[in-house]
Amino acid sequence: MSKPMKKLTIYLTVLATILSIFVITVFAANTTSVTLANKTSNSFTVNVTFPVSGATGNKLELFDQATKKTYNFDGITQANVLNGAYTAKNLTPDTTYIIRLTYLSDNKSVYKDYSLKTAQAIVQAPYKQVTPQQAYAMMQKYKNYTILDVRPKTEYDKSRIAGAISMPYADVANRAPAELKDKYALIFVYCAAGCSASSLAANDLDNMGYMNVFDIKGGITAWPYGTASGSTNTTAIPNTNTTAIANTTASTNTTQPSSSKGYTTITPQQAYTIMQKNKNYTLIDVRPKANYDLKRIDGAISMPYADLASRAPVELPNKNALIFVICQKGVTSPKASADLVAMGYTNVYEIGGGMDNWPYATVSNTTTANTTAIANTTSNTTTANTTAIANTTSNTTTTNTTASTNTTQPSSSKGYTTITPQQAYTIMQQNKNYTLIDVRPKANYDLKRIDGAISMPYADLASRAPVELPNKNALILVICQMGVTSPKAAADLVAMGYTNIYEISGGMNNWPYATVSN
């Protein structure tokens, strides 16, 4: 063989080797699996494969499907898990468990669930059902998701969740593979009123291999947040960087409402965000004056609907001003908003769900510190909220700005009170003196936490709480990852003699507000 041919042969051999290594690496990077190695009546061993062994974000979790009680695999921590075999012991016979692998993909945290039951093989866990509130919290947390409306197109055009794609159930089998390429994408499915169509569609998607499918319970009927109508899709709810909602300079806001009605329906959470970022807005409360006096958003103007036509032109001369409208249940505010649009106002936002759905601080005629529109009782500046929740600039502890001495005892018969993240957020805004205990492992706490929270892993609670929390009547909030460990921690604190304990349901997985990390 000639020298040139030998060189070419060597070159091609090296190139083929490099390409084979690259192909193996690419395929390995897309591999995630759990296979059963051994099983007894109360234990099992599984072989686990992550896309990248030991990578940042790798987690391996195990919990009881019914009770959500968590268990540990031997030989792992909850950070940077390596590929390999892991054993879980002391399990309950004939019980279904969920094995969850969490990892990073394109800088997004994704997970894949598997279920295992005694005398059964491992299978992929089925799709999951979530409440509208849980779905909304996830939509706020993650940017990249898809909402499928599986009702007939005519119903979709009348009213839909903002950002939803019309894909009638009859078309799912044909359209999904072509239009939803990413099998690991976060997908929400809903129908009219929790009908079977969404469950069937979710199950079909699950069978097609889509890994993160969520069926919204109650459908569009139970959805308490913003909706859209017409034949053109609107921006999805949590994407606040391309719509009028995200405009932080209200005085120069020339973006017109995206709604075909001339005004925009937004959620209380979206309204709250805008109010925190803008000085110049007007909040009109169109309920009867008696309702307004009893409970209202601080800074709101009482303008009962019956008086709107006569008062608005006189008291609101700037037709381009940023105006929010709220009522009690979200029934009157759409009519009031439509009337304002008819009068020529161009920047009107109707707060969906009304005061019944407002989760933040309110005032009444007995409140003396009514100075700003939202919960800020110190000055009329913009984002001056230095509470443990909304402060994302530093890793300081509890520096709340609104004073209170909450002496309310837990109403729960368990000795502690379970509250939603929204209720916890309101309490934190209204009180200076509280302690927020994060009972997750320290690695989870370092990765993401509520600003001001104290890391006190559940295993350390019994020894540390009596020493670090000497005041048994102090206001204490407890949070974990999924709302599984926090009830146990709250019960333990009650058993230790603490009298004012609040457990935050759903844990960090459901926390929709600002967080910090190391």
Side-chain angles (χ1 to χ4, degrees):
M1 184 181 293
S2 64
K3 287 184 178 180
M5 287 299 294
K6 286 183 179 179
K7 288 183 179 180
L8 179 60
T9 301
I10 294 171
Y11 173 80
L12 291 175
T13 302
V14 172
L15 180 60
T17 303
I18 293 173
L19 288 174
S20 66
I21 293 173
F22 174 76
V23 170
I24 292 171
T25 302
V26 168
F27 277 100
N30 289 285
T31 301
T32 307
S33 66
V34 172
T35 56
L36 180 64
N38 184 45
K39 178 172 56 178
T40 69
S41 62
N42 65 350
S43 70
F44 56 77
T45 301
V46 291
N47 293 314
V48 176
T49 303
F50 285 91
V52 180
S53 180
T56 300
N58 284 5
K59 291 182 184 179
L60 177 60
E61 299 173 276
L62 175 67
F63 53 90
D64 187 313
Q65 186 180 51
T67 67
K68 306 305 179 186
K69 179 181 178 181
T70 57
Y71 295 83
N72 293 322
F73 284 95
D74 291 347
I76 72 162
T77 60
Q78 285 301 316
N80 310 333
V81 179
L82 297 169
N83 293 349
Y86 298 98
T87 301
K89 301 177 180 178
N90 301 318
L91 304 177
T92 304
D94 197 30
T95 300
T96 300
Y97 294 91
I98 296 295
I99 304 168
R100 174 169 294 176
L101 274 63
T102 304
Y103 55 95
L104 296 180
S105 176
D106 296 329
N107 294 319
K108 297 181 295 182
S109 181
V110 297
Y111 65 84
K112 189 173 180 180
D113 284 355
Y114 299 84
S115 64
L116 174 65
K117 186 177 180 180
T118 303
Q120 289 187 354
I122 282 190
V123 296
Q124 179 185 321
Y127 70 88
K128 294 157 280 288
Q129 282 197 323
V130 290
T131 66
Q133 291 76 11
Q134 290 170 325
Y136 180 78
M138 294 172 70
M139 292 173 186
Q140 287 190 306
K141 183 177 180 180
Y142 300 102
K143 287 184 178 180
N144 299 316
Y145 60 84
T146 300
I147 311 173
L148 299 183
D149 186 321
V150 297
R151 299 173 300 160
K153 183 65 162 57
T154 53
E155 295 182 35
Y156 169 89
D157 290 341
K158 291 178 182 178
S159 177
R160 62 181 178 270
I161 296 175
I165 295 171
S166 175
M167 189 178 291
Y169 173 61
D171 301 336
V172 169
N174 294 326
R175 289 180 54 187
E179 299 178 30
L180 305 173
K181 301 292 188 181
D182 184 2
K183 291 297 179 70
Y184 295 94
L186 179 59
I187 301 174
F188 298 94
V189 184
Y190 73 91
C191 58
C195 57
S196 60
S198 61
S199 297
L200 291 170
N203 186 65
D204 288 351
L205 291 168
D206 191 66
N207 291 333
M208 293 177 203
Y210 293 93
M211 303 303 300
N212 288 302
V213 181
F214 293 85
D215 175 22
I216 301 176
K217 296 179 182 178
I220 189 70
T221 303
W223 186 258
Y225 307 110
T227 58
S229 61
S231 60
T232 303
N233 283 349
T234 58
T235 304
I237 290 171
N239 185 353
T240 59
N241 55 6
T242 59
T243 66
I245 291 173
N247 193 324
T248 59
T249 53
S251 58
T252 58
N253 186 348
T254 58
T255 305
Q256 297 302 309
S258 59
S259 169
S260 60
K261 299 169 288 190
Y263 63 88
T264 301
T265 297
I266 58 176
T267 67
Q269 289 80 0
Q270 290 171 322
Y272 179 82
T273 299
I274 299 173
M275 291 172 182
Q276 282 192 308
K277 292 180 179 179
N278 290 274
K279 284 184 179 181
N280 301 315
Y281 66 85
T282 300
L283 172 59
I284 299 176
D285 190 321
V286 295
R287 299 174 299 160
K289 185 64 162 54
N291 297 48
Y292 171 90
D293 289 341
L294 185 64
K295 177 183 177 182
R296 63 182 179 274
I297 300 171
D298 195 13
I301 296 172
S302 176
M303 192 177 293
Y305 180 61
D307 302 334
L308 186 70
S310 59
R311 290 180 53 185
V314 176
E315 299 179 32
L316 303 172
N318 182 3
K319 295 297 178 72
N320 296 316
L322 175 60
I323 299 175
F324 298 95
V325 183
I326 196 166
C327 64
Q328 190 66 45
K329 296 179 179 293
V331 176
T332 308
S333 52
K335 295 187 288 184
S337 298
D339 289 352
L340 288 169
V341 170
M343 295 178 203
Y345 293 92
T346 62
N347 205 4
V348 180
Y349 290 84
E350 183 258 328
I351 302 176
M355 289 299 296
D356 283 357
N357 278 355
W358 185 259
Y360 307 109
T362 57
V363 297
S364 65
N365 276 0
T366 60
T367 305
T368 58
N370 183 2
T371 58
T372 66
I374 303 285
N376 181 352
T377 59
T378 55
S379 65
N380 193 23
T381 60
T382 53
T383 54
N385 185 352
T386 59
T387 64
I389 307 300
N391 186 347
T392 59
T393 57
S394 65
N395 190 20
T396 56
T397 54
T398 53
T399 55
N400 299 337
T401 59
T402 53
S404 177
T405 55
N406 190 336
T407 59
T408 304
Q409 298 303 309
S411 59
S412 170
S413 59
K414 299 169 289 189
Y416 64 88
T417 301
T418 297
I419 57 177
T420 65
Q422 290 79 4
Q423 291 170 320
Y425 181 81
T426 299
I427 292 173
M428 292 172 182
Q429 284 194 306
Q430 294 177 332
N431 290 274
K432 280 185 178 179
N433 302 315
Y434 69 86
T435 299
L436 173 59
I437 300 176
D438 189 321
V439 297
R440 299 174 299 159
K442 184 65 161 57
N444 296 49
Y445 171 89
D446 289 340
L447 186 63
K448 177 183 176 182
R449 65 183 177 273
I450 300 170
D451 195 13
I454 295 172
S455 175
M456 192 177 292
Y458 179 62
D460 302 335
L461 188 69
S463 59
R464 289 180 54 185
V467 177
E468 300 178 31
L469 304 171
N471 182 2
K472 294 297 179 71
N473 296 317
L475 174 59
I476 299 175
L477 307 173
V478 185
I479 196 166
C480 65
Q481 189 66 44
M482 301 171 59
V484 176
T485 308
S486 52
K488 295 186 288 185
D492 288 353
L493 289 168
V494 170
M496 295 178 204
Y498 293 92
T499 62
N500 204 4
I501 307 297
Y502 290 82
E503 179 261 327
I504 303 175
S505 65
M508 289 299 297
N509 282 2
N510 278 358
W511 186 258
Y513 307 108
T515 58
V516 297
S517 65
N518 279 0

